[in-house]
Amino acid sequence: MDVRSNEFKARAAANLDDEKLQKGLGLIKVKAVVNRAGAVAEFGDFESLREAGKQIRDRALADLDLYLERFEREATARGAVVHWAENASEACRIVVDIAKQSGVRTVAKSKSMVSEEVGLNDALIAAGIEPIETDLGEYILQINDAEPPSHIVMPVIHKTAEDVADLFHAKHGTPRKTDPAALTREAREILRPKFLSADMGVSGANFLIAETGSTLIVTNEGNGRLCTTLPRLHVALTGIEKVVPTLEDASTLLRLLPRSATGQAITNYVSLHTGPKRLEESDGPQQFHIVLVDNGRSKLLAGEMREMLRCIRCGACMNHCPVYQAVGGHAYGWVYPGPMGNILTPSYVGLENAIALPNAATMCNQCGVVCPVKIPLPDLMRKLREEQMERGLKPWPERVGLALWGWAAQQPALYSFGTRLAVRVMKWLGGNDKLIHRLPLAAGWTDGRDFPAPAGKTFRELYKERRK
Amino acid sequence: MRVALFVTCLADLMRPGVAFAAIRLLEHGGCTVEVPQTQTCCGQPAYNSGDRATAIALARKALDEFEGFDYVVAPSGSCGGMIRAHYPELFRDDPATLKRIEALAARTWELTDFLVTVLKLDSVPGDFTGSVTYHDSCSGLRELGVKAQPRTLLARLPGVRLTEMNEAETCCGFGGTFSLKFGEVSTQLADNKCGHACATGADAIVGGDLGCLLNIEGRLRRRGDLKTRVLHIAEVLAGSMD
């Protein structure tokens, strides 16, 4: 996927004026925020559960190599084939090779953000293999000229039912309908034969369970089950950080994930895949391949962003982020939007290619308090800002402004003189209505807001006068 | 008890009345209030901009100025949160200073939290009458747990009627330099906040942080609302200062 994260500011501003998009985004508060709050309240001691989730993820990351080796051993013993991909192109090559070796022509895909991250669909198409997205949201995006998802759990949250009605009418050539149930039925009728004819299914994995060598996915639509059981090959593609030690650990995380994501106590389907079809079994794939992708993750493990690897991809951080709620996922310009993306995008594609993202947050910490595995997202963004400062990646006006202000704030006499002057100028600028309508060097503020003018003397000045 | 007032840059420059109101409230609670004259800024703008060296320098300066007092009180959850929640992290590799910083952090309070939790104030000198709605500022709320404290104090004023707005805990979009760097987004968030606040029909929007209040007032006035007042909680609780 192309990285367009340096266009954040312009795309965010454009999205604010997109009425249709704003209508779609409005649903996040209704669907995700309210539902999560209800699920958390109903659960009771969610804080202890968050702490348990954090500890499980930290334990897994502390001995990631050992758990991955254990996972490989157990999965292999049960007949799966484990592949290791160092980067995106290697991941694509591995999947394409698997497909080619078995003469695969069509691939049924269940939703996977790692497949977006590595650009799997493009690689399959380039190799003459047809990928078919079977998650309803991903299907809608695929037939809309492979539009990227704008959310990791609800990929088409930026679209309204009206948008989908127009799209289906245009692409399917069927009479236009707006009833969501009817639209879903139409997609299902088109997708069903594709499931049956697909040679290979590709899924992601929410968790890898080291003690059994199983992959686990949570879905609501049932397409994940079809993708992973009907075709003769199943390829599970996921990041190396997804491993957890035991089934017990996975079940603890399963209590956190759907509640945090959609406010569900549990998803409609929780599927565990342990090896391919066995001799005595009648269903299941003949081959089960698991592709474990690094693509920058091991570098995070050794650095200051390590805590980000705890992430279980629930999307709560973006659902609760006022900036994401206002601008939508596409503004972030890569696979992972919202607060998680503010950290993952610069970490995976290079800080210089995502300069705005670590700064595109008010540091309100709403993300931090809802994160099911307690990732201190604002602290990590701040560390990236520090790295930007060290590497000279900040725009020069900001650097000069900060340096001047920082120096002055350490010289009390000078600071006192400067502030006395500043409040007098601001008072004068405020005029009769005591509002500054336009401030040089602060257009970002005054384009949409007035600036309430001060009274003309600083507190410390007045305090001295009154003490006399 | 000797209490040092951490004035905050914004009160010093933009609304001196907030600092005078804070002094009146602290004195009302029996404190001896002092205002260290060399204080400037807590360093948060540098800290959140990634300029760690300047943040450390300003934290050291604040440490020297404020560590001799029984308590340090700021009429801001943002500056209070900086000292209490973030200063220690700045000195994680400097054990000698860290010890002093931790002691300072433990004695530093946001104003309403201090009035309720430490002073256990059962009356306030103000005489405000009218309906108000309260905006919970992010740092105060999520770093310091300031939620019930300002409401407890408002309830001490018989003439005040509090009507809660929807999404009172959602960020107003200020975010320090965020409000300049991402002006359009920041303005949109401020606009959302104004909408929720005005829907209550309150005479005044009240909060505990001047950054948020200037942002909300700035948007409110640009929307054409010249009537709804935007007040710091200290101003409401302390009453007229003139």
Side-chain angles (χ1 to χ4, degrees):
Chain A
M1 191 172 162
D2 291 341
V3 183
R4 296 180 60 189
S5 300
N6 274 343
E7 298 164 41
F8 177 85
K9 204 169 139 49
R11 295 179 86 191
N15 288 357
L16 288 170
D17 295 330
D18 184 337
E19 276 178 40
K20 268 162 70 175
L21 171 72
Q22 291 299 323
K23 205 176 151 200
L25 288 174
L27 283 176
I28 288 178
K29 283 183 199 167
V30 182
K31 280 192 177 175
V33 175
V34 173
N35 288 352
R36 177 195 173 273
V40 166
E42 195 183 312
F43 183 84
D45 189 6
F46 201 68
E47 281 312 297
S48 299
L49 189 61
R50 286 176 75 219
E51 182 57 32
K54 169 184 183 277
Q55 286 182 15
I56 288 168
R57 294 297 299 134
D58 275 343
R59 209 163 59 236
L61 294 171
D63 288 309
L64 188 65
D65 51 344
L66 299 181
Y67 289 117
L68 284 170
E69 282 172 10
R70 173 93 195 269
F71 175 80
E72 182 179 30
R73 252 192 341 266
E74 301 295 340
T76 308
R78 287 165 179 82
V81 185
V82 177
H83 308 259
W84 302 91
E86 198 181 327
N87 52 41
S89 58
E90 209 172 294
C92 291
R93 186 182 51 74
I94 290 168
V95 180
V96 168
D97 284 352
I98 295 168
K100 279 187 170 168
Q101 274 160 24
S102 294
V104 167
R105 289 163 59 192
T106 59
V107 171
K109 285 184 68 205
S110 99
K111 199 172 132 36
S112 151
M113 292 311 291
V114 174
S115 93
E116 296 283 343
E117 180 185 325
V118 301
L120 181 62
N121 284 6
D122 286 346
L124 289 170
I125 292 165
I129 301 161
E130 186 196 5
I132 301 147
E133 295 288 354
T134 65
D135 173 90
L136 180 57
E138 293 286 349
Y139 172 74
I140 290 166
L141 295 173
Q142 188 179 26
I143 64 169
N144 193 31
D145 304 324
E147 187 186 355
S150 72
H151 190 287
I152 64 163
V153 176
M154 301 174 282
V156 281
I157 191 69
H158 59 286
K159 286 203 185 309
T160 61
E162 294 287 327
D163 294 334
V164 178
D166 291 340
L167 184 69
F168 277 21
H169 173 60
K171 299 283 176 174
H172 296 161
T174 49
R176 189 177 185 278
K177 50 186 85 68
T178 53
D179 173 34
L183 288 166
T184 307
R185 201 175 314 117
E186 184 170 313
R188 183 181 297 159
E189 278 160 16
I190 285 168
L191 285 171
R192 218 21 96 98
K194 301 205 173 181
F195 279 123
L196 295 169
S197 65
D199 310 300
M200 181 165 116
V202 170
S203 73
N206 292 92
F207 302 114
L208 303 165
I209 293 132
E211 68 171 349
T212 60
S214 315
T215 64
L216 185 155
I217 57 171
V218 296
T219 68
N220 278 321
E221 296 173 13
N223 63 309
R225 286 217 165 160
L226 292 172
C227 287
T228 55
T229 53
L230 281 181
R232 54 196 167 89
L233 276 80
H234 172 202
V235 176
L237 176 74
T238 198
I240 53 168
E241 85 283 17
K242 294 285 178 65
V243 72
V244 295
T246 65
L247 275 170
E248 186 68 32
D249 293 329
S251 66
T252 300
L253 294 169
L254 273 178
R255 304 175 93 189
L256 281 165
L257 175 57
R259 285 184 173 88
S260 301
T262 52
Q264 292 170 285
I266 192 159
T267 44
N268 295 346
Y269 301 91
V270 175
S271 308
L272 268 164
H273 305 105
T274 312
K277 181 169 92 79
R278 290 183 204 114
L279 277 177
E280 69 277 16
E281 291 172 341
S282 53
D283 294 310
Q286 292 156 18
Q287 294 179 33
F288 180 27
H289 297 268
I290 302 163
V291 183
L292 300 179
V293 182
D294 184 334
N295 207 26
R297 286 158 173 80
S298 55
K299 230 186 314 171
L300 256 63
L301 193 65
E304 288 200 307
M305 297 300 119
R306 179 194 177 103
E307 287 169 292
M308 196 59 220
L309 291 175
R310 288 208 291 264
C311 178
I312 58 171
R313 303 294 192 266
C314 69
C317 61
M318 61 196 76
N319 294 339
H320 291 77
C321 174
V323 177
Y324 177 93
Q325 286 172 358
V327 305
H330 287 157
Y332 292 82
W334 198 55
V335 184
Y336 303 106
M340 69 183 297
N342 291 345
I343 293 151
L344 285 179
T345 305
S347 298
Y348 289 165
V349 309
L351 192 53
E352 63 284 359
N353 296 316
I355 288 173
L357 295 192
N359 302 293
T362 64
M363 303 305 235
C364 77
N365 196 29
Q366 185 62 55
C367 52
V369 300
V370 296
C371 175
V373 288
K374 298 177 135 181
I375 300 169
L377 292 142
D379 290 343
L380 298 186
M381 286 180 228
R382 192 181 298 108
K383 283 180 185 163
L384 289 173
R385 295 176 185 188
E386 287 172 6
E387 194 186 329
Q388 287 185 333
M389 187 62 97
E390 284 158 18
R391 289 175 52 190
L393 290 172
K394 294 219 165 222
W396 72 264
E398 184 185 348
R399 274 184 285 158
V400 171
L402 258 177
L404 274 175
W405 165 85
W407 177 73
Q410 293 173 60
Q411 327 287 329
L414 174 75
Y415 183 86
S416 174
F417 173 77
T419 52
R420 283 171 195 221
L421 185 66
V423 296
R424 282 164 174 79
V425 172
M426 282 193 279
K427 183 191 179 193
W428 174 75
L429 286 171
N432 287 337
D433 62 359
K434 297 179 182 162
L435 291 171
I436 302 169
H437 304 294
R438 193 158 292 279
L439 252 183
L441 303 174
W445 182 292
T446 52
D447 280 351
R449 288 159 290 195
D450 291 327
F451 194 83
K457 284 188 177 178
T458 66
F459 165 76
R460 286 182 301 162
E461 218 178 333
L462 292 166
Y463 184 76
K464 266 191 202 154
E465 285 174 15
R466 291 191 193 184
R467 300 225 100 183
K468 273 176 194 162
Chain B
M1 74 182 68
R2 276 177 77 228
V3 173
L5 182 72
F6 193 93
V7 177
T8 79
C9 318
L10 288 177
D12 186 32
L13 271 79
M14 306 309 301
R15 290 273 272 272
V18 170
F20 284 115
I23 292 172
R24 178 186 273 195
L25 289 164
L26 290 167
E27 286 177 348
H28 179 81
C31 303
T32 306
V33 182
E34 293 183 38
V35 184
Q37 283 297 300
T38 54
Q39 62 176 297
T40 55
C41 171
C42 68
Q44 196 197 50
Y47 184 56
N48 278 346
S49 297
D51 183 356
R52 199 175 167 87
T54 302
I56 289 173
L58 288 170
R60 276 188 201 284
K61 179 173 165 298
L63 178 65
D64 291 339
E65 290 158 347
F66 287 93
E67 74 175 341
F69 293 90
D70 297 329
Y71 293 100
V72 179
V73 176
S76 159
S78 181
C79 314
M82 178 67 197
I83 298 173
R84 222 169 138 138
H86 298 291
Y87 270 15
E89 191 273 326
L90 286 171
F91 296 94
R92 64 189 172 200
D93 302 325
D94 176 358
T97 313
L98 180 61
K99 231 178 142 190
R100 289 167 60 203
I101 280 283
E102 279 174 342
L104 175 73
R107 290 198 305 272
T108 300
W109 293 77
E110 184 273 341
L111 177 68
T112 63
D113 195 12
F114 185 75
L115 296 177
V116 171
T117 312
V118 179
L119 296 185
K120 303 188 184 353
L121 219 58
D122 52 15
S123 73
V124 291
D127 52 4
F128 188 92
T129 47
S131 55
V132 303
T133 190
Y134 198 84
H135 164 65
D136 294 296
S137 291
C138 300
S139 303
L141 177 70
R142 282 180 275 274
E143 284 175 359
L144 303 175
V146 175
K147 175 76 186 181
Q149 299 88 327
R151 290 168 175 81
T152 303
L153 293 165
L154 285 172
R156 304 259 184 269
L157 291 169
V160 167
R161 197 171 67 253
L162 175 70
T163 312
E164 296 288 356
M165 68 176 105
N166 284 335
E167 299 183 21
E169 295 184 359
T170 299
C171 179
C172 72
F174 174 63
T177 55
F178 177 87
S179 62
L180 297 170
K181 288 183 202 158
F182 300 94
E184 296 95 342
V185 184
S186 177
T187 298
Q188 180 63 51
L189 302 188
D191 196 64
N192 297 347
K193 180 59 68 177
C194 290
H196 290 307
C198 291
T200 65
D203 302 323
I205 302 168
V206 181
D209 266 280
L210 270 177
C212 316
L213 295 175
L214 291 168
N215 184 39
I216 294 168
E217 184 174 356
R219 182 58 196 164
L220 205 59
R221 301 298 174 243
R222 184 62 63 90
R223 279 162 58 119
D225 182 334
L226 302 177
K227 192 177 92 260
T228 308
R229 302 176 70 192
V230 182
L231 298 169
H232 191 280
I233 179 81
E235 297 172 304
V236 176
L237 298 173
S240 168
M241 301 304 300
D242 303 317

